[in-house]
Amino acid sequence: PIPSTIGQLTALTFLVLTDNTLDGPIPSTIGQLTELNHLQLDYNQLSGPIPSTIGQITGLTALALALNSLTSYIPSEIGQLTNLKNLSLQGNPLCLPVPAEVDALAQYTYACTQGTCVETGPAGTAYIDFGILLPCQTLSPTADHVPPPPSPPPPSP
């Protein structure tokens, strides 16, 4: 597991822990690494939701969380990462909808076909790979994920 004491490395600017067979959740203290500009935790066995505190690392230009077992919704706080140029989330059983705050990160468009989302955009904008996203029907809202959209109102008589 990634120890919660990782948040004490506040001067860290570059962290690559790719393919280290790390498991367990990403600790919420990761959000204390406010000097970080590159965070790569892909190709591990990390599980649970992406912590919303990741949105506190506003200098991030690259966030790679691909090919883990991260679940739940994509936290809207990722939308606070306005310097982000590369966001890689594919290979995780994450859920739709993509929060509007994340959708607004860059001038790009994405299309979903059978749950696989692909984006395109002009040069210099963020590259975002969502991978396969499906609606989550059995999750209850927590602080670490976007709640499901409200039920539609009943039809008018």
Side-chain angles (χ1 to χ4, degrees):
I2 299 172
S4 62
T5 53
I6 196 153
Q8 297 173 3
L9 303 174
T10 55
L12 200 60
T13 60
F14 199 87
L15 179 60
V16 176
L17 296 174
T18 298
D19 202 10
N20 277 287
T21 62
L22 295 169
D23 61 2
I26 299 171
S28 62
T29 55
I30 201 95
Q32 296 170 10
L33 304 179
T34 55
E35 297 298 314
L36 208 56
N37 60 44
H38 187 101
L39 178 58
Q40 200 167 330
L41 302 175
D42 50 345
Y43 293 90
N44 283 294
Q45 298 159 12
L46 298 170
S47 58
I50 299 169
S52 59
T53 56
I54 221 155
Q56 297 170 6
I57 315 172
T58 56
L60 273 181
T61 59
L63 176 58
L65 302 176
L67 299 164
N68 282 289
S69 295
L70 298 169
T71 57
S72 191
Y73 296 89
I74 299 169
S76 61
E77 290 81 2
I78 287 179
Q80 298 169 13
L81 305 177
T82 56
N83 293 312
L84 207 58
K85 296 295 179 195
N86 190 328
L87 173 61
S88 179
L89 300 174
Q90 78 274 14
N92 290 293
L94 295 167
C95 306
L96 288 170
V98 174
E101 296 86 350
V102 175
D103 194 38
L105 276 175
Q107 297 297 320
Y108 71 93
T109 58
Y110 70 94
C112 297
T113 304
Q114 295 180 347
T116 299
C117 299
V118 178
E119 63 81 31
T120 59
T125 60
Y127 172 77
I128 300 177
D129 190 343
F130 296 112
I132 295 175
L133 303 174
L134 299 171
C136 284
Q137 312 228 343
T138 58
L139 294 174
S140 59
T142 70
D144 282 329
H145 71 264
V146 176
S151 299
S156 301

